[in-house]
Amino acid sequence: MKNHLLKIILFSFFILISCSKDNVVSNQENLLNSGSNQFVFTYSGLPQKPINVFYNIPAGNRNNMPIVIVFHGDERNASEYRDIWVNASNQYGFMVFAPEFNSINFPGGSSYIIGNVYQDGNFPTAQTLNNESVWTFSMIEPLFDFIKVNSGSESNTYDMFGHSGGGQFVHRFVLLKPNARYNRAIAANSGWYTVPDGVANFPYGIMNCPITAINPNNYFTRKLFISVGSLDNNGSDSSLRHNTESDLQGLNRLARANYFFSKSRTYAISVGATFNWQFHTVTNSGHDAVQMSNDAVNLLY
């Protein structure tokens, strides 16, 4: 009887060891592999809207390897943006991640480039303000935590780059998430802006929205580059928004970038904020994701 009981105990012990060992292997298999690949990320605030994240991790020690998160434009082509950054990622030794906000789960501009802050960001009201937990902007910090855990990174910060619609996402993220752990952000060739001038209402300005309650010093002190191609001056581009509010910013992306930066700097001075934003023109570049990305690599790395 005692021998039989001992056998049961030993058998149970070996089962526990085996299960524990399998769990370790499973956790190791969940680590992101080196090279180019993708994974699905599910944010707890929007569990019904998982996103594909395309990435590249070069070979080498990952502990202090920089991380950059790249945001696509209205074409929702995250994999192509990841591909643009692969060679630089391998050459300079940084990880690149490109989340995809598809048009099914994030339809129109309101859900993506305006961040789902309101039920309809183009016509915001106090009654239609969404809880911050369901903002699209609120997905980025948890994504960074997921990347750290599953890549083995010990980085405390990340960099951001967005082109076109992605540039709109990035500059609004800076305004609405000033305490986020990003180090540097580049908003490139944005179509139109949320201008911090203390005059215009959201989404064209910061009045009558959550940004109004944020100390301007919190976002003006962060490192934001407003980047624009010197040839991105086609006012008849079919993808460029034209209405009374957006046309007040200028009739093309180059003019609007200058307007945004000038108004932002003036407002920062008027409220006594430290202004750390920089304006950057990319010579001989139009609305070109490749050229703007390559220039961003030079700015960052």
Side-chain angles (χ1 to χ4, degrees):
M1 183 68 179
K2 290 182 179 179
N3 289 338
H4 181 67
L5 181 60
L6 180 60
K7 289 179 180 178
I8 292 175
I9 293 173
L10 288 173
F11 179 76
S12 300
F13 177 72
F14 286 123
I15 290 293
L16 286 172
I17 292 176
S18 176
C19 289
S20 176
K21 187 176 180 181
D22 287 343
N23 285 337
V24 172
V25 172
S26 176
N27 288 337
Q28 289 176 341
E29 289 174 347
N30 287 335
L31 291 176
L32 301 177
N33 296 322
S34 296
S36 295
N37 212 321
Q38 70 181 89
F39 61 86
V40 176
F41 172 69
T42 302
Y43 164 57
S44 61
L46 292 168
Q48 74 281 19
K49 297 183 178 183
I51 60 173
N52 292 316
V53 180
F54 300 86
Y55 72 88
N56 185 76
I57 300 178
N61 188 328
R62 300 181 179 186
N63 288 355
N64 297 308
M65 190 177 286
I67 293 171
V68 60
I69 304 177
V70 173
F71 296 89
H72 59 70
D74 290 340
E75 294 182 9
R76 317 296 178 116
N77 51 342
S79 64
E80 295 179 25
Y81 273 80
R82 183 274 315 273
D83 292 345
I84 291 171
W85 283 70
V86 165
N87 287 340
S89 168
N90 291 331
Q91 179 179 356
Y92 297 107
F94 63 86
M95 308 182 199
V96 59
F97 297 86
E100 179 184 75
F101 299 94
N102 64 55
S103 56
I104 297 174
N105 288 331
F106 304 90
S110 183
S111 296
Y112 174 40
I113 64 172
I114 310 179
N116 202 43
V117 176
Y118 291 87
Q119 293 175 23
D120 185 346
N122 292 295
F123 302 98
T125 66
Q127 294 72 31
T128 61
L129 176 65
N130 287 324
N131 188 286
E132 188 171 353
S133 64
V134 301
W135 295 358
T136 312
F137 300 127
S138 296
M139 302 178 72
I140 306 309
E141 288 282 288
L143 173 60
F144 176 54
D145 287 328
F146 179 93
I147 290 169
K148 287 187 63 175
V149 169
N150 289 279
S151 69
S153 170
E154 296 179 3
S155 294
N156 294 319
T157 62
Y158 54 95
D159 294 320
M160 306 175 73
F161 169 82
H163 178 257
S164 192
Q168 295 198 47
F169 182 94
V170 166
H171 89 266
R172 293 190 181 100
F173 180 91
V174 169
L175 292 170
L176 281 152
K177 294 288 189 178
N179 297 319
R181 290 167 289 174
Y182 71 91
N183 179 20
R184 298 163 295 182
I186 300 176
N189 287 349
S190 300
W192 57 281
Y193 295 85
T194 295
V195 183
D197 60 0
V199 176
N201 290 327
F202 192 82
Y204 300 96
I206 62 171
M207 303 309 294
N208 296 319
C209 75
I211 303 172
T212 310
I214 298 174
N215 185 333
N217 211 53
N218 289 358
Y219 48 78
F220 282 134
T221 56
R222 303 303 298 271
K223 298 174 184 176
L224 171 65
F225 292 89
I226 303 303
S227 183
V228 64
S230 65
L231 303 180
D232 200 352
N233 54 8
N234 180 10
S236 61
D237 186 337
S238 60
S239 66
L240 189 63
R241 176 178 294 199
H242 285 291
N243 56 28
T244 301
E245 293 84 0
S246 60
D247 285 351
L248 282 174
Q249 301 177 9
L251 298 180
N252 57 63
R253 292 184 181 88
L254 178 61
R256 291 177 181 182
N258 277 283
Y259 178 92
F260 174 77
F261 187 80
S262 176
K263 286 288 186 179
S264 299
R265 181 172 55 192
T266 299
Y267 184 63
I269 293 171
S270 72
V271 297
T274 301
F275 189 67
N276 285 334
W277 296 3
Q278 296 182 47
F279 190 84
H280 182 69
T281 304
V282 182
T283 306
N284 296 325
S285 177
H287 200 66
D288 190 307
V290 175
Q291 285 183 272
M292 299 303 290
S293 294
N294 290 339
D295 184 81
V297 170
N298 290 330
L299 278 178
L300 295 175
Y301 303 112

